[in-house]
């Protein structure tokens, strides 16, 4: 390898760091790819071996080492260590084969990473804002190292995937989500800030674990919790008026309350509620275009009436209303089932989020059920004859043959989306869903599954994952100057995603995928961002610009994992 600069035509990046400080900065470190000129300029001689490598050579070596590890969890840990040393190398590895690496850096490996985060955590990344820091949050955020932040993913670790309260171990989720923002949506990793709001935990095993890194205290709730969140949001809005604040894995009631409280005052959204709804709506639109019942004929059962289930019902109801259906009619098409049975008005414990799509109190008056006060999923399925069944329950195996098979007798192409994560919590396996519906079901899952063969035909299994939506949303905020996130933007994202469906292009064939391949997530993010910006302009929450301006801004905002030449920032004048 020549010892001259190997970055022809690239704009130099200026930095004041040098020596060990430069090598210790993961967003700037190149390892032994620093060329001789840069080693002279930044005082790196003696700190690096003589050989000068290319990024491609570093990727090949890293992949060889990763392949030699015993399992995907070991690879997850090794990749996180690479990310903490050299972010460009980390993303170049993922960019080489995203369909292979994304399940390792996020779902399903991220579930175990949360459970063992205290054991695998080695180097600070992002911010742990502890309840004991109240009164000082603005001071902590004021550090100059955060000047370039544009996207924050914040969690309190209260409701992680299907594994519940993980306390400070939930930091694996903001780190992982922001990794997907970059890998799938081109967010510059220097603009990303993961935040764990440590308000304690009610997980007894964590509190008893001597290795637990979080605040050893029962989870703070009620007014004290709300005041802590308010201090954080106020500090964020003052520090970064144009920030995108993404909430992740908050406890159910907290998630909806916080979203409704703050969505009018800054650009904030909850991915569990809105992102899940957006990708599910996009997948259902694609399914309809590929042969499922028309939107006007849809009857939808949602098993799991927490934030994700309520978000899906609300956005799909808005989609029906946009198509011309009256509001009361649209909301009557949804039958949400939770631990207390079919959600109806007047039931004890009905939440604010469940109310819009709750059924009338007497809906089951003429049904043959064991207990009218607790109508089960099987009883709902038998009486409603749904066209679509969606699972967000976290209850593995909840969809049985008894529940699913009747759908195939009522609908030519029944839709079954078993969305719970991690994989052990999925409501039904794809192979079973196809068997129970004579291969006619249009299926999707929350986690990755290999293609399934049924009756001699091999079918892809669509992963209906939020990574099809939220990276494009973040890119839209970065490029389009969006000041607020609206439900209309998530409907626009769903439309854009459905428009890219291979099933639509294939004329609805049974063997076609609903969603684009994982390898196409960057083009998907561009399409989603384009649609979100246009919708933001239509709603007056994004500045007007011509189409050419949108394209130029999106291209400029899209970061790619490649090394740039470095120049020394001149010292400030006294």
């Amino acid at each position: 390898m020549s010892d001259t600069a190997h970055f022809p035509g690239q704009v130099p990046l200026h930095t004041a760091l040098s020596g060990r400080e430069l090598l210790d900065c993961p967003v700037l470190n190149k390892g032994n790819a620093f060329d001789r000129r840069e080693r002279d300029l930044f005082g790196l001689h003696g700190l690096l071996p003589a050989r000068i490598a290319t990024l491609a050579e570093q990727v090949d070596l890293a992949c060889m080492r990763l392949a030699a590890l015993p399992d995907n969890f070991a690879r997850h840990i090794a990749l996180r260590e690479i990310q903490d040393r050299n972010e460009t190398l980390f993303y170049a590895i993922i960019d080489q084969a995203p369909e292979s690496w994304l399940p390792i850096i996020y779902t399903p490996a991220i579930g175990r990473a949360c459970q063992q985060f205290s054991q695998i955590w080695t180097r600070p990344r992002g911010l742990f804002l502890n309840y004991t820091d109240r009164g000082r949050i603005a001071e902590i955020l004021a550090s100059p190292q955060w000047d370039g932040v544009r996207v924050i993913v914040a969690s309190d670790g209260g409701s992680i995937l299907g594994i519940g309260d993980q306390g400070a171990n939930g930091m694996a989720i903001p780190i992982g989500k922001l990794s997907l923002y970059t890998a799938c949506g081109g967010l510059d990793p220097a603009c990303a800030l993961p935040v764990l709001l440590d308000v304690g935990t009610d997980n007894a095993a964590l509190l008893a674990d001597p290795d637990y890194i979080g605040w050893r205290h029962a989870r703070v709730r009620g007014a004290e919790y709300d005041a802590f969140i308010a201090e954080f949001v106020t500090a964020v809005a003052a520090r970064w008026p144009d920030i995108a604040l993404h909430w992740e894995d908050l406890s159910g009631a907290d998630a909806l309350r916080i979203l409704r409280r703050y969505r009018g005052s800054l650009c904030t959204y909850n991915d569990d509620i809105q992102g899940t709804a957006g990708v599910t709506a996009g997948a259902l639109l694609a399914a309809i275009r590929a042969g499922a019942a028309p939107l006007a004929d849809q009857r939808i059962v949602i098993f799991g009436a927490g934030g994700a289930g309520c978000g899906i019902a609300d956005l799909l109801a808005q989609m029906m209303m946009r198509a011309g259906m009256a509001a009361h009619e649209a909301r009557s098409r949804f039958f949400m089932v939770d631990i207390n049975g079919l959600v109806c008005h007047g039931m004890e414990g009905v939440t604010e989020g469940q109310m819009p799509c709750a059924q009338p109190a007497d809906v089951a008056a003429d049904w043959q059920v064991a207990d009218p006060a607790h109508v089960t999923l099987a009883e709902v399925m038998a009486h409603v004859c749904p066209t679509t069944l969606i699972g967000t329950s976290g209850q593995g195996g909840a969809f049985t043959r008894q529940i699913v098979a009747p759908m195939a007798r009522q609908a030519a192409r029944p839709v079954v989306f078993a969305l719970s994560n991690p994989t052990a919590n999925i409501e039904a396996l794809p192979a079973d869903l196809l068997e129970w519906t004579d291969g006619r079901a249009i299926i999707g899952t929350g986690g990755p599954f290999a293609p399934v063969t049924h009756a001699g035909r091999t079918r892809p299994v669509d992963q209906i994952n939020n990574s099809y939506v939220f990276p494009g949303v973040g890119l839209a905020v970065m490029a389009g100057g969006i000041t607020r996130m609206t439900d209309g933007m998530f409907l626009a994202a769903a439309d854009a995603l459905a428009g890219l469906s291979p099933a639509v292009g294939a004329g609805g064939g049974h063997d076609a995928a609903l969603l684009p391949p994982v390898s196409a997530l960057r083009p998907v993010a561009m399409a989603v961002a384009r649609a979100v910006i246009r919708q933001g302009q239509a709603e007056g929450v994004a500045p007007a610009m011509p189409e050419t301006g949108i394209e130029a801004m999106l291209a400029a905002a899209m970061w790619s994992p490649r090394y740039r030449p470095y120049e020394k920032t001149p010292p400030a004048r006294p």
Side-chain angles (χ1 to χ4, degrees):
M1 177 68 204
S2 167
D3 65 357
T4 58
H6 43 274
F7 317 103
Q10 294 196 39
V11 177
L13 187 152
H14 289 77
T15 178
L17 300 180
S18 62
R20 177 65 67 181
E21 286 185 326
L22 181 56
L23 297 179
D24 286 342
C25 179
V27 296
L28 296 177
N29 181 30
K30 303 179 188 179
N32 64 340
F34 282 104
D35 64 25
R36 190 166 300 278
R37 179 192 65 84
E38 291 170 330
R39 296 182 188 206
D40 291 339
L41 190 61
F42 294 100
L44 299 176
H45 289 292
L47 298 177
L48 296 169
R51 179 171 177 255
I52 298 172
T54 65
L55 178 57
E57 290 168 340
Q58 291 178 323
V59 169
D60 288 344
L61 179 59
C63 287
M64 181 183 70
R65 292 172 174 171
L66 289 163
L69 295 174
D71 55 40
N72 280 346
F73 186 60
R75 294 182 186 98
H76 175 92
I77 295 171
L79 279 164
R80 284 280 295 106
E81 291 171 348
I82 292 172
Q83 184 181 23
D84 284 341
R85 293 197 313 270
N86 183 333
E87 298 236 28
T88 302
L89 174 58
F90 171 79
Y91 289 109
I93 293 168
I94 297 169
D95 198 46
Q96 182 192 54
E99 64 281 0
S100 297
W101 296 117
L102 292 185
I104 295 174
I105 66 168
Y106 205 69
T107 304
I110 197 71
R112 185 176 172 188
C114 287
Q115 292 171 316
Q116 299 188 23
F117 190 79
S118 290
Q119 286 73 38
I120 66 176
W121 180 83
T122 58
R123 178 169 174 165
R125 172 173 287 269
L127 287 173
F128 290 87
L129 297 178
N130 308 317
Y131 186 72
T132 54
D133 292 323
R134 60 193 186 281
R136 302 180 53 203
I137 292 179
E139 175 189 343
I140 294 170
L141 298 185
S143 171
Q145 66 183 307
W146 312 125
D147 286 352
V149 170
R150 295 292 307 280
V151 177
I152 289 175
V153 175
S155 178
D156 67 0
S159 184
I160 301 294
L161 302 172
I163 57 178
D165 183 351
Q166 297 297 310
N169 281 2
M171 178 55 117
I173 294 292
I175 291 172
K177 279 285 184 177
L178 284 166
S179 297
L180 296 185
Y181 267 108
T182 297
C184 307
L187 174 71
D188 185 338
C191 299
L193 181 61
V195 174
L196 192 286
L197 299 164
D198 190 351
V199 293
T201 179
D202 291 334
N203 187 324
L206 290 180
L207 292 173
D209 183 354
D211 295 328
Y212 180 54
I213 62 174
W215 183 43
R216 294 178 186 276
H217 194 280
R219 183 168 285 272
V220 173
R221 301 186 184 277
E224 293 178 330
Y225 174 89
D226 287 349
F228 184 66
I229 296 296
E231 181 184 351
F232 169 67
V233 173
T234 300
V236 165
R239 177 73 162 92
W240 303 284
D242 57 352
I243 198 77
L245 176 56
H246 166 147
W247 298 99
E248 189 73 26
D249 288 342
L250 305 180
S251 298
D254 294 332
L256 184 61
R257 185 180 69 257
I258 288 169
L259 176 63
R260 289 182 172 175
R261 181 170 296 172
Y262 297 112
R263 67 185 305 183
S265 57
L266 76 163
C267 185
T268 190
Y269 45 95
N270 186 299
D271 190 52
D272 302 309
I273 298 172
Q274 296 160 291
T276 301
V279 68
T280 305
L284 182 58
L285 279 176
I288 290 169
R289 296 172 190 177
L295 189 62
D297 296 334
Q298 283 285 332
R299 298 178 306 282
I300 300 171
V301 171
I302 299 176
F303 183 55
C310 291
I312 291 169
D314 187 63
L315 196 68
L316 291 178
Q318 291 187 54
M319 191 164 68
M320 292 175 175
M321 287 183 263
R322 183 186 61 176
M325 194 178 290
H328 72 278
E329 173 66 16
R331 298 197 181 280
S332 74
R333 301 297 184 89
F334 294 88
F335 299 80
M336 296 192 296
V337 183
D338 68 3
I339 193 171
N340 296 315
L342 177 63
V343 176
C344 298
H345 290 288
M347 277 179 57
E348 184 178 353
V350 175
T351 68
E352 182 183 0
Q354 294 169 346
M355 286 295 292
C357 289
Q359 286 289 321
D362 60 352
V363 67
D366 296 328
W367 296 1
Q368 293 182 351
V369 297
D371 180 1
H374 190 290
V375 182
T376 67
L377 174 62
E379 291 168 337
V380 170
M381 296 293 290
H383 290 87
V384 169
C385 301
T387 54
T388 295
L389 172 63
I390 299 172
T392 58
S393 67
Q395 296 186 27
F399 294 170
T400 63
R401 181 190 294 271
Q402 173 195 12
I403 286 170
V404 173
M407 294 183 70
R409 296 194 289 269
Q410 303 293 333
R413 300 295 309 276
V415 178
V416 184
F417 293 159
L419 302 183
S420 290
N421 274 312
T423 306
N425 294 59
I426 191 169
E427 286 82 4
L429 296 175
D432 290 336
L433 292 173
L434 289 178
E435 180 187 346
W436 299 336
T437 59
D438 300 321
R440 290 187 283 115
I442 299 175
I443 61 175
T445 59
F449 280 87
V452 175
T453 300
H454 176 81
R457 302 173 67 119
T458 300
R459 298 262 301 270
V461 179
D462 285 284
Q463 184 181 359
I464 301 177
N465 189 282
N466 298 14
S467 57
Y468 281 97
V469 169
F470 73 79
V473 169
L475 181 60
V477 174
M478 291 277 290
I482 291 170
T483 59
R484 301 289 183 272
M485 286 303 303
T486 68
D487 290 339
M489 293 178 185
F490 286 95
L491 284 172
D495 285 334
L497 180 58
L500 299 174
S501 171
V504 175
H510 283 216
D511 299 336
L514 280 183
L515 301 178
V518 171
S519 58
L521 280 174
R522 282 212 170 197
V524 169
M526 286 287 282
V528 167
R530 199 176 289 121
V532 168
I533 291 172
R534 290 172 183 154
Q535 183 66 26
Q537 292 172 337
E539 295 189 44
V541 293
M545 68 178 78
E547 286 294 314
T548 54
I550 293 176
E551 296 304 317
M553 293 295 286
L554 286 172
M558 180 73 76
W559 181 90
S560 296
R562 59 182 182 178
Y563 290 141
R564 293 168 57 185
Y566 290 175
E567 298 292 346
K568 191 78 172 175
T569 300
R573 293 184 178 180

